[in-house]
Amino acid sequence: MKIGVFTVLYDDKPLEEVAAYASGLGYEMVELAAWKGSNHIDIDEVLKGNTKDLKETLNKYNLEISALSNHLEGQLVLGPLDESTDDWAPSKDPEEKVKYGMKRMKDTARAAAELGVPVVVGFTGSPVWGQWYIFPPKNEEMYEKGWELFAERWNEILDTFKEVGVKFALEVHPTEIAYNIETSEKALEVLAHRKEFGFNFDPSHFIWQMIDPVIFIKKFGDRIYHAHAKDSELQEDEVSRSGVIPTGGWMRPNRGFRFRIPGWGQVNWRRVMTALLTVRYDYVLSYEHEDPVMSREDGCEKTIEYLRPLIIKKPLEEVWW
Amino acid sequence: MKIGVFTVLYDDKPLEEVAAYASGLGYEMVELAAWKGSNHIDIDEVLKGNTKDLKETLNKYNLEISALSNHLEGQLVLGPLDESTDDWAPSKDPEEKVKYGMKRMKDTARAAAELGVPVVVGFTGSPVWGQWYIFPPKNEEMYEKGWELFAERWNEILDTFKEVGVKFALEVHPTEIAYNIETSEKALEVLAHRKEFGFNFDPSHFIWQMIDPVIFIKKFGDRIYHAHAKDSELQEDEVSRSGVIPTGGWMRPNRGFRFRIPGWGQVNWRRVMTALLTVRYDYVLSYEHEDPVMSREDGCEKTIEYLRPLIIKKPLEEVWW
Amino acid sequence: MKIGVFTVLYDDKPLEEVAAYASGLGYEMVELAAWKGSNHIDIDEVLKGNTKDLKETLNKYNLEISALSNHLEGQLVLGPLDESTDDWAPSKDPEEKVKYGMKRMKDTARAAAELGVPVVVGFTGSPVWGQWYIFPPKNEEMYEKGWELFAERWNEILDTFKEVGVKFALEVHPTEIAYNIETSEKALEVLAHRKEFGFNFDPSHFIWQMIDPVIFIKKFGDRIYHAHAKDSELQEDEVSRSGVIPTGGWMRPNRGFRFRIPGWGQVNWRRVMTALLTVRYDYVLSYEHEDPVMSREDGCEKTIEYLRPLIIKKPLEEVWW
Amino acid sequence: MKIGVFTVLYDDKPLEEVAAYASGLGYEMVELAAWKGSNHIDIDEVLKGNTKDLKETLNKYNLEISALSNHLEGQLVLGPLDESTDDWAPSKDPEEKVKYGMKRMKDTARAAAELGVPVVVGFTGSPVWGQWYIFPPKNEEMYEKGWELFAERWNEILDTFKEVGVKFALEVHPTEIAYNIETSEKALEVLAHRKEFGFNFDPSHFIWQMIDPVIFIKKFGDRIYHAHAKDSELQEDEVSRSGVIPTGGWMRPNRGFRFRIPGWGQVNWRRVMTALLTVRYDYVLSYEHEDPVMSREDGCEKTIEYLRPLIIKKPLEEVWW
Amino acid sequence: MKIGVFTVLYDDKPLEEVAAYASGLGYEMVELAAWKGSNHIDIDEVLKGNTKDLKETLNKYNLEISALSNHLEGQLVLGPLDESTDDWAPSKDPEEKVKYGMKRMKDTARAAAELGVPVVVGFTGSPVWGQWYIFPPKNEEMYEKGWELFAERWNEILDTFKEVGVKFALEVHPTEIAYNIETSEKALEVLAHRKEFGFNFDPSHFIWQMIDPVIFIKKFGDRIYHAHAKDSELQEDEVSRSGVIPTGGWMRPNRGFRFRIPGWGQVNWRRVMTALLTVRYDYVLSYEHEDPVMSREDGCEKTIEYLRPLIIKKPLEEVWW
Amino acid sequence: MKIGVFTVLYDDKPLEEVAAYASGLGYEMVELAAWKGSNHIDIDEVLKGNTKDLKETLNKYNLEISALSNHLEGQLVLGPLDESTDDWAPSKDPEEKVKYGMKRMKDTARAAAELGVPVVVGFTGSPVWGQWYIFPPKNEEMYEKGWELFAERWNEILDTFKEVGVKFALEVHPTEIAYNIETSEKALEVLAHRKEFGFNFDPSHFIWQMIDPVIFIKKFGDRIYHAHAKDSELQEDEVSRSGVIPTGGWMRPNRGFRFRIPGWGQVNWRRVMTALLTVRYDYVLSYEHEDPVMSREDGCEKTIEYLRPLIIKKPLEEVWW
C-alpha cells in the first residue's frame, strides 16, 4: 500500500513545488485533477503527446500518478444541469453540457492511458439525487428511471475506457448516482458488472449515513480501484441540533457533520486497513483535504504521520498454531 | 392534550365509517386531508357554505377537527415542479402549478376559518431540497436564494391566513424548505417571525438525522401549532449496510430507515411528552400511519393504547418539598 | 399469531389442571413434552390410538397442541453419550443410547401425526459441542466430521417425519449441532435443505452470543416452524466479572448470564415481532419458563400480559401515501 | 411487596382526604411525615396516647403505615447548622439545634413504637458534605473526623430505637452522611453493624452518580428496611452543558439532572424489582413525588399503574428443568 | 500553541533543575506557583524588584512564564474559612483570612506585571460550594447570595488586576464559585463581563460531571486566558459501585473517578484541540500532574509525547473545493 | 516492565535468527515453547545439562527467558483425551496420555529450574470444558467433579514445581479448567492457594466473554506470574450474525471473534497497563501472534512500537498537591 496525495489542494502552486513538498514528507503517489483549468495537468496537451515535462517532474521526486481525477466534468454527464454546474461547462445548455461532459471523460481516460495511469477517479453526476426521499411518491418511479440514463450515457463512456485499457473509479458520494452500498450494487448491476467500472473508496461519506465502511470493502473488494484517505466527524456537541445533513458552507463551525483528515474523525482506520488487506487491496491511499479546521500543511504532515504506522505490509498466509 | 388521527389512512372509506371507528377506539380529534380528491372533505364545497353534513357527522361521534392538512398542493408553491408533482396539479406547466398551489393553500385557510378550525398543516415545497449537500460549491449560493423565493410566495399566502385568522403549521420534513432545526430557524427569520407561521412537530423525521426532538420542542415551543404522533426506526441489522437515506419503496423490508407507529421506533416518547408539557403545548397528538409493517387497524389500536398512559394531564405548579 | 405455553413447567400437576389454568389466563396453545416420563402425554399410548382423553381435555379448554417436544431423547441421537445423558436412556451403552434415541424421535413424529400436530420440537444432540473453540487445532477437523454423523442419523429420522407428514423444528441452542446462525446454515446445507427440517426460534440463546435474533428470522424465515417466548439477561452488574459463559447452577444469583421471561431480559421484542411478521411467521409463541427469579405463576401471568399487546394482527398490504 | 405513598405531597389536605384518594387508586400503605408541623400526624399527641383517630382513619381505607419519616429534624443532628436549617429548629444556636434534633428523632422512634410501626425513615445530617471533593487536601482528614461525630450522636439516638424496638432507615442521599455505596458501607462499619440502623433504598439518588442501584441492593440486602419509588433523569439534551450537579431550583427546565416518577427516568425498574426479590425484600415501595414536571395527580395515577405489573409475587424456589 | 508545565509538581527541587529537565523534554513554558512557600518564586521578592535570577534561569533554558498561579491563597477570599484552609493563612480568624487572601491575590497580579506575565491563574474560593444540592430548600436562596459576596470581594481584587494590566483566569473547578458551564456564565454575568476576568480551561473537571469540554470552549472562547493539560477517568470497573463523587485520598485505587495525564483518561483531545483552534486560542497547554498512578517523570515524558502531534499549527483560512 | 516475544511464531527458523531479529526490534525477553518438537529448546537436553549454546545465543542478543511454555503437553493431564490431542502424545491410550503429560510438565519445571527461569506457562487441560452449559442438568454435577481430578493430578505436578522452586502460570483460556474469573477463583481454592500456582494473564480471551481484564488483574494481582500481549476483536460487522463463539478455522475472515495484535482489537491497553502497575506487576508482556490478518513481521514490529510508549516506568509514590 502506498500513501499518495490528491494535489488539487495546492492547485495554486506549480506542480513541481507541490511534488517537492509531498515527496519530502514521504508521499509516494499523486492524484492529479484532470478537469479544464487544473494547474497540474492539461489533458489536451497530454493527448497531443506533451507528457515529458510532467513525467520528468514526477520522476525527479520519485512520485507516480495514482489516478487522473475528474469530479467536475463527470458531473455534467448526468447533471444536475442547472446553474450549479455552469462554471465547469462551456455552455448553459443542458444538452451541450452532457455532450461536453461525455467527451471530457473519454479524453481523461485517453490521457490516463497516454501516461500509463491505470485509473480515472471521478463523479458520474445524477439526474435524481434530490429524489432519494420517497415523497412525493412519484420520486420512487423517477429514481428508477435515473438508472437507465446512467447506463446509457456511461456505457458509451466506458467503451472508451475499455478501448484504452483504463478503469473508472466512481467516488461513492452523495449527489452522485451511487452514494451508499445499495446504490453501488445497483450501479454495478445496471452496467452488467463490466470490469471498467469500479469504485473510489472514501469512508468519509459513509459516517453520517451510519454505513459501516468495512461492509463496503468486503462487498466490493475487487471493485475498489482507488481509495481516498479522508475522515469525517459528527460533532457530538452539535449533531443533536444541526443533524447529519446541515446546509451552509463547509467553514461554518457549528455543523453537525463535517470532513476531517484521517485520525481526527470517526472512521476506525484500523478496521478499514484490516479490511482492505483482507480483500487484498494494495494500491494507494490518496489523501484528500477537505478539513474545514486545519491548514493544508497541518493536514499533509499529520496524515502521513498517522497512516504510515497503520499500513500492514503483508497478510498472514497460514496459521501455525 | 388530545389524541387525534389523520384520517387520510382510511381515505378509501367514507368519513362516517372512519369517524365511528376512530371514536370507538377513543380518538378525540381528526385531521382531514384537504387536497383535491380527498374523500373526507371537499373544501370547495365548504367555501360554498356546505358544512352541515360534515359537522353533523363529527358531532355525532364527538370528534373535533384538529387541522385541515394540505401536504400535496402546498408542495406546488415551491416545487419540485418536475413530473414528480404532476399528479396533483391541473397542468404540467411550472408557472401554472405555482399559481394553482398558492390559490389552493389560501382556499384551505379560508375553509378552515369557515369550519372554525384554527390550524392548517402542510408542506411548503422547496426549490432547493437536493442542494443541501455542498457539492458542487454553487449549491451553497443557490440554497441561499431559495429562501427569498420562499418568503415571497409564502408571505402572500400567509397574508390570507392572517385575514381569516388561521395558522399555518409547516411539517418540518425532508424535501421541504425546513427539515431540521437550523432550517426551521431560518424559515422563521426570513418570514420576520410572523405569527401565522409555525410548525407541525413530527419527531419521526428527526431520528435518522440524529436530531433530538426535545431540542426542537424547547426551541420552538410557542411555534408548535400541531403535532403528529409518528415514530421511526433505524433498523439495527440493516442500517450499517443500507444507511440512513435508502432509496426505493417504503415496503422494502431491508431499508436502514423506516417509519413506525409510536412506541415501535426510536423516539423517546416520555422525553417528548415531558418537553411538550414544559413548553405548555396542549393541543393534539395526531396519529399518522406510515408504518410499512403493520395494518392500519393494528396501528389505530396500538397507538392510542400506547399514548394514552403517557399523557400528563397537568403540570406541577410549585415545589413543596 | 397465537400464544402458547410449554406445559413442562407444570409437569408435577395433571394436564387438566394445567390446561384450565393456562386457558384461564388466555393461552391458546400448549406444547407438550413427549419424552418418557412426561406427565402430560405418553406417546406410546398415543401410538396405540389412545388419544381420546387428551383431545377431550384440551378441547374442553379450547387449547390446541402447537408441538410435541422432545429435547431429551433427541440428544441421545448424537450425544453426548457419557453419563450426562444416562438418566434419559434405558442403558449406559452409547450404541444403545443412539438406537433408542432414534426410535423415540421417530415415534414422536408418529404420535404427532396421530394427533394431527404438525411439528415436533427438539434437540439433535451433538458429538462435537465442546470443540467449537479452535484449540487444539485438531478440533476444527473433528468439528467438520461431526456434520457427517448428523446428516447420516438425522436423515434416517427425517425420512419417518416425511412419511407421516410432520416437521422437525430444532431448537437452535448451545450443546446442539446448530447453536448460532452459521451452524444453522450448515445444518440446512448438509441435509440438502429437505423441508422436514427447520427450526424452533428461541431468541434467549442468542443474547449472550451477541447475535441479533432479527438476522436469524430474516435469514430462515420459511424454516421457522415453531417459536419459544423466552428472554435472557446479561446482568449488567455481574457480567464484567462472571462473563457470558458462567458455570454452576441456574439459581446462582451472580451469574453473568441467565434466562428471563419475555420483557425482563434484553431481547427487543418489538423488533422480533416485526421481523416475524415480515417473514409471515404466523403460528405460535410458546412460553417456556427458565427464569431463575420468578415463580411459575408470575411467569405465566406476566408473559401473556406482556406479549399480547405486541402481537401484530395483520401486515400492511400496500402503501397509500 | 406493597405499594405505598409518602403522603407529604398532599400535606395541604387532611389525611382522610388523602387516604381516601390513595386507597381508591390502589395504594396499600402510607408513609407519614413526622416532623413538627406535619398536617398528617403530630407525634407529640401520639406520645400522649392520642392515636385513635389516626388509626380509625387509616383502617377505614385499609391502609397501614409503612414508616414515620423525619428527614428535616434528622438533619439537625449533624447539620449543616447554618441558616439552611433554621426553619426547622426552635433556635438558630447550633448546640440547641443538635439537642433538639436528637430529641425529636428519639421521639419519632417512640411514636412509631406506640403506633406499631416498625421503621422510621430519615436523614442523619452531615457535618462534612461539602468536603467530599479532595481539595483543599485538609478535606480528606476532616471528612474522616465527621464519622466519629456521626457515631457518637447517632449511637445515642439508636439506643432509644433499640429500647422501643424500632429500626432507623437512613435515606442514602447527597448532603447526608451516607450518599453512595462506599459511604453506606462506612456508616455500617462505624456503627459496628448494629441492627437498628439500615437504609431507605431510593434509586433516584444513584443515577447521576452513575451508581448501579442493583449493586446497592445486593450488598445491603438485609439492611434495606424501607424503599422509595422514585426515578431520576439525566436530560440528554441538557446534561452536556448543565452537568450532573446543577444549581438553582427544581423547576428550572434546563437542568442536567432532575427527579421523575417511576418509569419516566433512567432507573431500570425490572432489574431493581428482580434484585429486591433476590435479597428477599418484601415490604413496601413508597412513592415519593419530586417530579418537577407532572402534577401530583398525574404522579399518583401513573406510578401505581406503572409499578403494579412489575411486582413479582413469589420467587422461584427450585429449578425443575 | 505552546506546551508548558506547572512546575509545582517538582516544588521539592530547585527551579533551575526543573527548568533544565522540562526544557530538555521540549516544554516551552512554565507556570509557577505563587503562593507563600513556593520553592520556585517568592512574589514578595519580585515586588521588591528582585527578578534577575529568575529571569536568567528561565532565559537560559528558553522558557517563558505562562502564568503565576495562586490556587491556595485565592481560596481564602471566599473560603471555606474553617480548618480546611488554616494551613495557608497566617491566622485562623475568618476575617483575617479574607483580608490576607485579598492582599495576596493583588500582590500576585502585581508580581505578574513586574515579570511581564499576562495571566494569573487561581481559585476564588466559594462560600456555598456544599450547597449546590437543592436540599435543604434554603440552599437555593443561600446559593444565590453567595454570588453577591463573590462580586464584592473579587471586583475589588480585579481593580488591581486592571491597574497593572494582568488578567485573572479562574480554574473552573469543584469547590470554587464556578465549577461548570452554568456557574461560569453566572460568574461573568455578576462581574458585568469585565475583561480582567476569564478562565483557566481544564477539561479534567468536566468529565465526571458529564459536561462536554467542547461546549465550554465554544461558549467562552474569548475568555479562556490559560489552559491546563489534564485528563480524568471514570474507572469502568469501579464507577458503578464508587460513583462519580468518591471520598478519601487520591491514592485510593478503587475510586470511581480520578485524574490522569493527557491521553490516559476520557477527554477526547482531538476534539478539544480542534475547538481551541476554532476559537483561536493560541497560548499554552500547561501540564499539571495529579495522576495517582504514574510517577512525575512518566507524566512529563508521556504528556509532551502525546500532545505534540495533536497541535494544529495553523487554521484553514478558506475553502478551495 | 519488559517486552518479550513468544518465539513459537518463528519455530520454523533457528533460535539464533529469531533472537537476532527480536532483539534488533527491541524485545528484551523470549518465551520458549518447551514441548517435544520445539525447534528452540529441547528440555531433555537441558535436563542433561546441555544449556550452554542456548545461554550463549541469548546472551549474545541480551535476551532473557521469561518463561518456558508448555501448552500442548499440559493439556494431556486432564484431556480432552480423544483424538484431538493424539498428535502431541506418544500413544492414543488415555491413561498413557495422562501419565506422559504429567511427566512432561514436571520435566518442564525441572528444565526451567536448570536454566534459572522462574516461571512455566501452560495449560492444564480440562475433562469438562464442553459442560459449562447447564444442559443437560447432569452437566452441573459433572462439572463439579472435574475440579477434584484437577486438584489430584495438578497437586502432584505442583509438588515438583515446589521442589525446584519454579512457578506454574496457567493461561486462563477456554478449553482449560479455568477460563474466566470465577473458574480462576475456584482453581485457586481447590488447590488451597498454594503459591506454586498462578496465572498467565492474557486479555484476549476475556473480550468475547465480556469480562473486564482489569477486574481480573485487581483480583489476582499477586498471582499473575506472566502476561501475554495479545488483543482480540469482535468484528462489528460480523458479530451480530456470527456470534462470539464461531466455529471453523482462524483464517475464516467473517468470524464474529478473532485474535489481533495489541492495539488492533478491543482491549483498552491503557487501562490494562494502569491496573498492572497498580498491583505492582513488573515482569514481562510477552507478545504472542495469533492475528489471522497480519504477517508475523508486521506483528513483531507493530506490537513493540505500540506497547513501548504505554509502559509506565514508575508508580506515583505519594501525593504532593
Side-chain angles (χ1 to χ4, degrees), chain F residues 109-142:
Chain F
R110 289 181 193 115
E114 185 69 31
L115 289 161
V117 174
V119 184
V120 166
V121 166
F123 283 159
T124 55
S126 169
V128 290
W129 159 246
Q131 279 155 325
W132 57 261
Y133 200 81
I134 306 307
F135 189 91
K138 196 92 173 229
N139 277 358
E140 189 180 338
E141 186 188 317
M142 289 170 72

Side-chain angles (χ1 to χ4, degrees), chain F residues 200-267:
Chain F
N200 179 53
F201 168 73
D202 184 337
S204 68
H205 306 300
F206 295 154
I207 294 302
W208 69 264
Q209 294 189 68
M210 295 194 223
I211 290 173
D212 184 348
V214 168
I215 294 179
F216 185 94
I217 294 170
K218 289 188 178 172
K219 196 175 280 282
F220 301 116
D222 61 347
R223 293 297 178 125
I224 298 177
Y225 295 160
H226 200 267
H228 274 173
K230 189 149 61 85
D231 209 331
S232 59
E233 181 186 22
L234 296 174
Q235 287 203 74
E236 259 181 63
D237 54 312
E238 302 287 0
V239 73
S240 62
R241 183 194 50 76
S242 170
V244 300
I245 58 168
T247 54
W250 286 119
M251 300 291 285
R252 177 157 74 87
N254 60 345
R255 294 170 56 93
F257 159 77
R258 61 184 181 189
F259 293 125
R260 300 306 305 269
I261 66 161
W264 290 67
Q266 286 144 1
V267 172

Side-chain angles (χ1 to χ4, degrees), chain A residues 93-135:
Chain A
D93 178 67
E95 278 185 45
E96 287 300 314
K97 278 186 178 177
V98 173
K99 212 167 130 187
Y100 176 75
M102 291 179 74
K103 179 173 181 312
R104 288 289 297 174
M105 290 315 287
K106 292 175 189 171
D107 284 353
T108 309
R110 289 182 191 113
E114 186 69 31
L115 289 162
V117 175
V119 183
V120 167
V121 166
F123 283 158
T124 56
S126 168
V128 289
W129 158 245
Q131 280 155 326
W132 57 262
Y133 201 83
I134 306 309
F135 187 88

Side-chain angles (χ1 to χ4, degrees), chain F residues 30-50:
Chain F
V30 287
E31 176 185 354
L32 301 178
W35 53 79
K36 183 78 78 189
S38 166
N39 198 18
H40 293 170
I41 189 171
D42 178 339
I43 59 171
D44 293 337
E45 289 302 310
V46 170
L47 292 179
K48 288 178 198 156
N50 298 329

Side-chain angles (χ1 to χ4, degrees), chain B residues 7-62:
Chain B
T7 67
V8 71
L9 88 168
Y10 282 115
D11 200 54
D12 56 339
K13 298 179 195 266
L15 182 60
E16 167 131 24
E17 187 179 334
V18 180
Y21 174 65
S23 168
L25 290 172
Y27 289 91
E28 298 156 287
M29 293 191 120
V30 289
E31 176 186 354
L32 301 178
W35 53 78
K36 183 80 77 189
S38 168
N39 198 19
H40 293 171
I41 189 170
D42 178 340
I43 61 173
D44 292 337
E45 290 302 310
V46 170
L47 292 178
K48 288 178 198 153
N50 299 328
T51 63
K52 206 181 133 210
D53 282 4
L54 176 62
K55 285 183 175 169
E56 281 179 3
T57 303
L58 297 178
N59 279 342
K60 183 171 165 191
Y61 297 103
N62 284 312

Side-chain angles (χ1 to χ4, degrees), chain D residues 129 132 174 179 203-211 232 234 244-245 257 259, chain E residues 132-133 208 210 244-245:
Chain D
W129 159 245
W132 58 261
Y179 62 88
S204 68
H205 307 300
F206 295 153
I207 293 302
W208 69 265
Q209 294 190 67
M210 297 194 223
I211 290 173
S232 59
L234 296 173
V244 300
I245 57 170
F257 158 78
F259 292 126
Chain E
W132 58 261
Y133 200 83
W208 68 265
M210 296 196 223
V244 301
I245 57 169

Side-chain angles (χ1 to χ4, degrees), chain A residues 13-153:
Chain A
K13 296 179 196 266
L15 182 59
E16 166 130 24
E17 189 181 332
V18 180
Y21 175 65
S23 169
L25 290 172
Y27 289 92
E28 298 156 287
M29 292 190 121
V30 288
E31 176 185 354
L32 300 178
W35 53 78
K36 184 79 78 190
S38 167
N39 198 18
H40 293 169
I41 189 171
D42 178 340
I43 61 171
D44 292 337
E45 289 302 310
V46 170
L47 292 179
K48 286 177 199 156
N50 298 330
T51 64
K52 204 181 134 210
D53 282 5
L54 176 62
K55 286 183 173 169
E56 281 178 5
T57 303
L58 296 178
N59 278 342
K60 184 171 165 192
Y61 297 103
N62 284 311
L63 293 167
E64 290 171 80
I65 304 174
S66 69
L68 297 192
S69 280
N70 202 334
H71 296 78
L72 302 191
E73 291 156 1
Q75 279 234 327
L76 300 174
V77 178
L78 292 172
L81 301 171
D82 56 17
E83 56 177 305
S84 67
T85 49
D86 281 357
D87 294 351
W88 320 327
S91 151
K92 298 199 176 200
D93 178 67
E95 278 185 45
E96 287 300 314
K97 278 186 178 177
V98 173
K99 212 167 130 187
Y100 176 75
M102 291 179 74
K103 179 173 181 312
R104 288 289 297 174
M105 290 315 287
K106 292 175 189 171
D107 284 353
T108 309
R110 289 182 191 113
E114 186 69 31
L115 289 162
V117 175
V119 183
V120 167
V121 166
F123 283 158
T124 56
S126 168
V128 289
W129 158 245
Q131 280 155 326
W132 57 262
Y133 201 83
I134 306 309
F135 187 88
K138 196 90 174 228
N139 276 358
E140 188 179 339
E141 187 189 315
M142 289 170 71
Y143 205 96
E144 290 311 306
K145 275 194 287 184
W147 290 108
E148 293 168 27
L149 204 61
F150 164 68
E152 183 190 318
R153 293 192 185 149

